[in-house]
Amino acid sequence: MKIIASNFKTNHTRRSTQEFCTTLESFLNTQKNPNKITIFPPTTALLDNTFKHFSIGAQNAYFTQCGSFTGEIGLEQLHEFQIQSLLIGHSERREILGESQEFCAQKFAYFARQDFEIFYCIGESLETKNKGLDSTLVFLESQLKGIALDYPKLIIAYEPIWAIGSGISATLEEITQIHTRLKQKLGKIPLLYGGSVKPQNVSEILSLDGVDGVLVGSASWEIQSFCKILENSF
Ligand code: PEP
C-alpha cells in the first residue's frame, strides 16, 4: 500500500471539489486501488469526510478549538466535517506566509494531541541544495525540530522547493539519496515524495526504495490526470 495525497492549494471551488470527489469515488468503485488516498481541498471547499475510498484533509488550521484568530479555522470547524488529517509545514506556508519552525511545531503538538493524522512537509530551496548533501540534510533536520517523531499518525513528505510546480521532479537518484538518508533518521515513519509528480513519473518514483507515497499538487487538480496517477500507482 502506498499513500497518494492531493494538495489542491488555492484551486477548486466547493462545487468543483464536490464534482471531483464524486467522480473520484465512482472511479475508485470500479477498481481495487490498494492505496491510501487523501484529498486536501481549500478550506471553503471542505466536504464531509465520509467518502468510502478516500479521506478529506485540511490544508491548514490554527492550533485552537475556536477563538479570535481572524481568517483561521480551528478544531471545531474541522470536527464539523469529521476531518482528521492535516497538512503542516508546506513550503508555501513557511515561505509565503512566514510560518516559523516553532509555529509549525506548535501546530503539530496541538493536532497530535487531538489524534490527527499529520502530513508534515519538509524541503530545501535550490540555494540549500547547491550547498551539498550534508548541508541539505542539516537543513531538513532543522525542519523537524520540535516534531515528535514517535507520533504514530505522522507522515512526512519530502518536497524540494525547487521541484514544486516546476514540472521537473527531482531525479530518481536525488530522491533515492535523500530518502535513504532521511529513512535512517525517521525509521518506520512513512516518507512521501512531492514535487512535480505526474502520471508519467509516478510509477517509477513509487518504485524507489524508501518512497512510501507521493504528495501531488498541480497534476492532481484535474480529475482525469489524478485518476491516471492512481492507475499508474499500483
Ligand atoms: C506541492 O506543492 O505539494 C506539490 C507537490 O506541487 P506540484 O506537484 O505541483 O509540484
Side-chain angles (χ1 to χ4, degrees):
M1 184 204 75
K2 299 286 187 182
I3 299 169
I4 315 284
S6 157
N7 177 10
F8 280 10
K9 310 191 189 191
T10 319
N11 299 284
H12 277 290
T13 61
R14 187 168 193 78
R15 184 173 300 167
S16 68
T17 300
Q18 184 76 60
E19 277 165 18
F20 182 104
C21 289
T22 307
T23 309
L24 180 60
E25 187 84 317
S26 312
F27 171 76
L28 292 170
N29 265 330
T30 65
Q31 57 157 258
K32 292 230 171 324
N33 194 306
N35 297 319
K36 170 181 159 52
I37 302 163
T38 305
I39 308 294
F40 292 93
T43 301
T44 57
L46 289 176
L47 303 175
D48 283 330
N49 182 28
T50 49
F51 292 92
K52 198 164 146 217
H53 301 292
F54 60 92
S55 305
I56 301 285
Q59 292 177 24
N60 180 46
Y62 194 77
F63 40 95
T64 187
Q65 165 87 20
C66 54
S68 299
F69 304 97
T70 302
E72 295 291 290
I73 60 167
L75 192 63
E76 192 171 291
Q77 287 73 31
L78 295 176
H79 275 167
E80 184 179 16
F81 297 98
Q82 301 104 59
I83 286 181
Q84 282 296 331
S85 302
L86 182 65
L87 265 185
I88 297 180
H90 192 282
S91 58
E92 286 154 13
R93 294 205 65 86
R94 291 182 192 261
E95 301 277 310
I96 302 169
L97 295 155
E99 291 194 3
S100 66
Q101 183 54 31
E102 196 187 348
F103 186 84
C104 292
Q106 276 178 290
K107 223 192 257 196
F108 172 86
Y110 179 82
F111 285 99
R113 279 201 303 280
Q114 308 303 329
D115 204 30
F116 267 57
E117 176 178 64
I118 295 172
F119 287 69
Y120 185 84
C121 303
I122 58 176
E124 83 285 4
S125 65
L126 190 56
E127 196 189 347
T128 302
K129 171 186 158 51
N130 287 340
K131 289 184 187 151
L133 183 59
D134 287 341
S135 298
T136 299
L137 285 159
V138 168
F139 177 78
L140 295 176
E141 288 202 14
S142 76
Q143 294 194 312
L144 294 169
K145 189 164 176 245
I147 305 302
L149 297 180
D150 57 354
Y151 179 58
K153 293 190 179 173
L154 172 60
I155 294 166
I156 293 183
Y158 167 60
E159 299 205 299
I161 298 174
W162 44 271
I164 291 182
S166 66
I168 301 168
S169 76
T171 64
L172 300 181
E173 291 71 27
E174 286 167 332
I175 299 171
T176 304
Q177 193 175 44
I178 296 282
H179 275 237
T180 306
R181 293 288 292 274
L182 284 175
K183 278 278 181 186
Q184 286 165 5
K185 180 176 173 69
L186 301 177
K188 288 200 165 57
I189 301 172
L191 182 58
L192 316 186
Y193 167 78
S196 297
V197 174
K198 45 195 166 190
Q200 299 90 316
N201 63 13
V202 66
S203 166
E204 53 188 10
I205 291 173
L206 286 175
S207 70
L208 297 174
D209 275 351
V211 176
D212 301 306
V214 286
L215 176 53
V216 192
S218 36
S220 69
W221 301 338
E222 205 249 304
I223 185 67
Q224 300 310 335
S225 170
F226 189 55
C227 288
K228 280 213 177 67
I229 286 175
L230 294 175
E231 273 173 346
N232 294 348
S233 67
F234 69 100

